[in-house]
């Protein structure tokens, strides 16, 4: 027989160790520990050789498990040992540390200068002024739905949509209590208003395609159930989720085994049955029908602000919706733009990496369209997508948003360590889990104060940046205030870098120099989301 390859060495050593231990038992009972240890290794190695599912295990009995174990905690090794402070995958150590320090009310000051390469392409900064301003109150607010009977004065930095079910009950409680303490809003996510959302924090109730909390037995929208929830004092605004940045155009399924009595009661679904969240809404199917649905929700909610959240994809679909606003003389009170950088508890890799427009481009398109259509003064814009620091807020507001939302930033404030195990139900920090034991370890009172402090200290940092730039409120920010390095020798401000439409340009037919508007604005139809005929023809032939 040919000699065994070296890769079988661990298995052979285990066999020899077992044989020696068995002989040793005859002289000393203490050798039974060797029999046990080597015996287990022999059983493991024998199983590796005989099984047929893992070729690596068959070729490297016993040793293969070292690889599997290293692979299992590879992200932790990278995160704590290998990753640099500024490597943002998805959030850098420096970003996480910033949140932790602000949440704990510790100093976030740094010595010895920036770790950023200011000569690197893509580096951005804010322009300071020789005449800095003074800001006494960093509690910056904007009015949403000014034309409504019950408009809402929102903070410029709020908690983005995260559902009960994705997050533990204690995590939701801490977020809501933190929002109450800090005076900012808490988006419920599409999983409905749970008992953990009812601790006094302002709510933005997100309505998804599953209509959780306001659905009938067939999963269709139920106006009376909606009215019961939407008219509660805690609900300040209603948000119709069309799509989200992390997985646009994608529905979801909650397996029957995960539908606990609490989740079933919150969402209005039967116990023990699979819950489907469709990719598309059933209450409307065209832009014009969506505008009618917005009007209906507003009436049912007692004239509270009603808006939409979407990730931008085909530009003609967004243009069709804006044209429906113009035709109907009706519009949402706000639009939340969700960038492709958005996070989620679980989504296919391709959707996370390659589907949906990044926030900068999406926000510019939405802002430009509303300005060009003469609607910007009536429709507020929120933005979400990897917003975590005062500068993140600054650049997003400079691009046209009125306020920002954050999800993962507030998760860090709760103690999230970016273990990236949200989809496994084994979150080590008790944030993204439904395991009752893991979730119960998260102290609501303590973590709610961390949430409140993260919000307050981030706004204080924003106030410092604004004051240094000679500004007194975030609403004064414009594209001229942020600079972007194109190369080692070229720098442009946002207003030089990006095309900004003048007011009413689209109504006057003057957007020809903007390619996307020139190509798709005239072709968009307020009665359908379907592609223009020329685009539809391309889908039928590779010759066009």
């Amino acid at each position: 027989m040919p000699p065994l390859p070296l890769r079988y060495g661990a298995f052979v050593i285990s066999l020899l160790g077992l044989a020696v231990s068995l002989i040793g038992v005859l002289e000393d009972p203490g050798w039974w520990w060797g029999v046990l240890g080597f015996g287990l290794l022999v059983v493991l190695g024998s199983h590796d050789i005989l099984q047929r599912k893992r070729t690596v295990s068959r070729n490297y009995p016993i040793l293969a498990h070292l690889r599997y174990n290293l692979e299992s905690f590879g992200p932790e090794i990278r995160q704590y040992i290998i990753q640099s402070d500024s490597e943002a995958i998805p959030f850098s150590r420096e970003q996480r540390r910033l949140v932790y320090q602000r949440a704990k009310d510790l100093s976030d000051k740094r010595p010895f200068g920036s770790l950023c390469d200011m000569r690197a392409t893509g580096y951005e900064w804010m322009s300071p002024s020789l005449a800095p301003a003074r800001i006494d109150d960093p509690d910056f607010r904007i009015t949403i739905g000014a034309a409504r009977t019950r408009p809402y004065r929102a903070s410029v930095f709020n908690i983005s949509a995260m559902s009960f079910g994705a997050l533990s009950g204690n995590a939701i409680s801490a977020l809501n209590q933190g929002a109450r303490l800090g005076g900012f809003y808490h988006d419920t996510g599409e999983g409905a208003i749970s008992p953990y959302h009812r601790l006094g924090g302002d709510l933005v109730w997100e309505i998804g395609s599953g209509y959780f909390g306001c659905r009938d037995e067939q999963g269709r929208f139920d106006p009376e159930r909606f009215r019961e929830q939407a008219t509660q004092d805690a609900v300040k605004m209603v948000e119709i989720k069309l799509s989200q940045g992390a997985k646009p155009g994608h529905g979801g399924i909650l397996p029957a085994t995960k539908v606990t009595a609490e989740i079933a009661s919150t969402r209005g679904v039967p116990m023990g049955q699979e819950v489907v969240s469709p990719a598309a809404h059933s209450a409307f199917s065209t832009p014009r029908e969506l505008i009618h649905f917005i009007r209906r929700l507003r009436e049912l909610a007692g004239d509270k602000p009603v808006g939409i959240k979407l990730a931008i994809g085909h530009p003609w679909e967004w243009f069709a919706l804006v044209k429906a606003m113009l035709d109907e003389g009706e519009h949402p009170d706000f639009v939340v733009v969700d960038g492709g950088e958005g996070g989620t508890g679980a989504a296919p890799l391709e959707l996370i990496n390659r589907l949906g427009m990044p926030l900068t481009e999406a926000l510019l398109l939405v802002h430009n369209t509303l300005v060009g259509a003469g609607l910007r003064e009536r429709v507020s814009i929120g933005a979400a997508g990897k917003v975590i620091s005062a500068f993140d807020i600054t650049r997003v507001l400079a691009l046209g948003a009125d306020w920002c939302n954050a999800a993962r930033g507030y998760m860090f404030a709760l103690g999230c360590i970016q273990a990236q195990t949200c989809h496994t139900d084994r979150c080590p920090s008790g944030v993204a889990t439904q395991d009752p034991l893991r979730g119960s370890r998260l102290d609501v009172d303590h973590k709610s104060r961390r949430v409140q402090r993260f919000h307050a200290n981030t706004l204080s940092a924003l106030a410092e940046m604004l004051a240094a730039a000679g500004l007194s409120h975030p609403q004064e920010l414009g594209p001229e205030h942020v600079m972007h390095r194109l190369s080692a020798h070229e720098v442009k401000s946002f207003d030089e870098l990006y095309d900004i439409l003048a007011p009413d340009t689209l109504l006057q037919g003057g957007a020809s120099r903007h390619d996307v508007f020139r190509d798709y604005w005239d072709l968009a139809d307020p009665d359908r989301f379907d592609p223009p005929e020329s685009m539809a023809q391309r889908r039928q032939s590779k010759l066009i």
Side-chain angles (χ1 to χ4, degrees), residues 181-310:
L181 294 171
F184 52 101
Y185 81 63
H186 179 193
D187 192 314
T188 66
E190 65 174 313
I193 304 173
S194 72
Y196 308 104
H197 288 99
R198 304 178 188 274
L199 300 181
D202 290 350
L203 295 179
V204 172
W205 183 17
E206 184 178 272
I207 307 297
S209 58
Y211 305 114
F212 299 124
C214 58
R215 58 187 266 148
D216 62 17
E217 294 180 356
Q218 287 72 45
R220 299 169 301 194
F221 176 72
D222 186 320
E224 285 309 312
R225 290 185 178 178
F226 172 81
R227 188 200 303 272
E228 290 174 8
Q229 301 267 21
T231 53
Q232 296 176 15
D233 288 341
V235 176
K236 305 302 181 183
M237 302 195 296
V238 176
E239 177 182 279
I240 304 167
K241 174 190 162 185
L242 303 180
S243 57
Q244 70 182 85
K247 47 183 179 182
H250 191 273
I253 297 176
L254 191 64
T257 54
K258 289 190 174 182
V259 183
T260 64
E262 201 167 35
I263 289 177
S265 173
T266 295
R267 299 196 177 195
V269 298
M271 268 281 291
Q273 292 185 24
E274 182 179 83
V275 180
V276 177
S277 181
H281 280 259
S282 60
F284 55 86
S285 59
T286 69
R288 203 179 299 275
E289 289 177 357
L290 173 54
I291 297 301
H292 296 164
F293 187 59
I294 291 171
R295 181 189 296 134
R296 187 183 184 196
L297 293 190
R298 189 180 290 138
E299 293 170 352
L300 291 169
D303 205 33
K304 294 179 181 179
V306 175
I308 60 174
K309 180 178 88 171
L310 78 167

Side-chain angles (χ1 to χ4, degrees), residues 40-290:
L40 290 173
L41 288 175
V42 168
V43 170
L44 178 63
S46 301
H47 174 267
D48 287 341
I49 293 171
L50 296 174
Q51 60 83 34
R52 294 181 176 274
K53 291 183 178 180
R54 293 180 171 178
T55 303
V56 174
S57 294
R58 298 185 77 186
N59 282 327
Y60 295 85
I62 301 176
L63 287 177
H65 293 276
L66 178 61
R67 172 191 179 275
Y68 299 142
N69 288 332
L70 287 173
E71 186 179 50
S72 70
F73 55 80
E76 285 80 5
I77 293 176
R78 177 180 175 82
Q79 179 177 341
Y80 293 112
I81 301 175
I82 299 173
Q83 185 183 41
S84 72
D85 281 350
S86 58
E87 186 179 358
I89 305 177
F91 287 90
S92 70
R93 184 180 298 166
E94 183 179 62
Q95 289 172 311
R96 298 194 304 272
R97 185 189 300 132
L98 178 69
V99 178
Y100 298 148
Q101 289 172 330
R102 287 180 174 167
K104 296 175 183 178
D105 218 10
L106 300 175
S107 173
D108 59 3
K109 305 301 184 285
R110 296 287 188 275
F112 223 68
S114 175
L115 296 178
C116 298
D117 181 0
M118 297 186 183
R119 302 291 292 175
T121 299
Y123 177 74
E124 293 177 343
W125 67 94
M126 186 176 177
S127 298
S129 171
L130 291 176
R134 175 174 174 172
I135 299 176
D136 295 320
D137 184 6
D139 183 25
F140 304 119
R141 297 193 171 269
I142 55 104
T143 300
I144 306 173
R148 307 277 69 83
T149 304
R150 302 177 68 181
Y152 180 58
R153 289 278 291 167
S155 170
V156 297
F157 188 44
N158 303 284
I159 301 172
S160 197
M162 293 180 283
S163 300
F164 168 57
L167 266 58
S168 68
N170 278 24
I172 294 291
S173 295
L175 288 173
N176 192 259
Q177 192 163 296
R180 176 179 60 82
L181 294 171
F184 52 101
Y185 81 63
H186 179 193
D187 192 314
T188 66
E190 65 174 313
I193 304 173
S194 72
Y196 308 104
H197 288 99
R198 304 178 188 274
L199 300 181
D202 290 350
L203 295 179
V204 172
W205 183 17
E206 184 178 272
I207 307 297
S209 58
Y211 305 114
F212 299 124
C214 58
R215 58 187 266 148
D216 62 17
E217 294 180 356
Q218 287 72 45
R220 299 169 301 194
F221 176 72
D222 186 320
E224 285 309 312
R225 290 185 178 178
F226 172 81
R227 188 200 303 272
E228 290 174 8
Q229 301 267 21
T231 53
Q232 296 176 15
D233 288 341
V235 176
K236 305 302 181 183
M237 302 195 296
V238 176
E239 177 182 279
I240 304 167
K241 174 190 162 185
L242 303 180
S243 57
Q244 70 182 85
K247 47 183 179 182
H250 191 273
I253 297 176
L254 191 64
T257 54
K258 289 190 174 182
V259 183
T260 64
E262 201 167 35
I263 289 177
S265 173
T266 295
R267 299 196 177 195
V269 298
M271 268 281 291
Q273 292 185 24
E274 182 179 83
V275 180
V276 177
S277 181
H281 280 259
S282 60
F284 55 86
S285 59
T286 69
R288 203 179 299 275
E289 289 177 357
L290 173 54

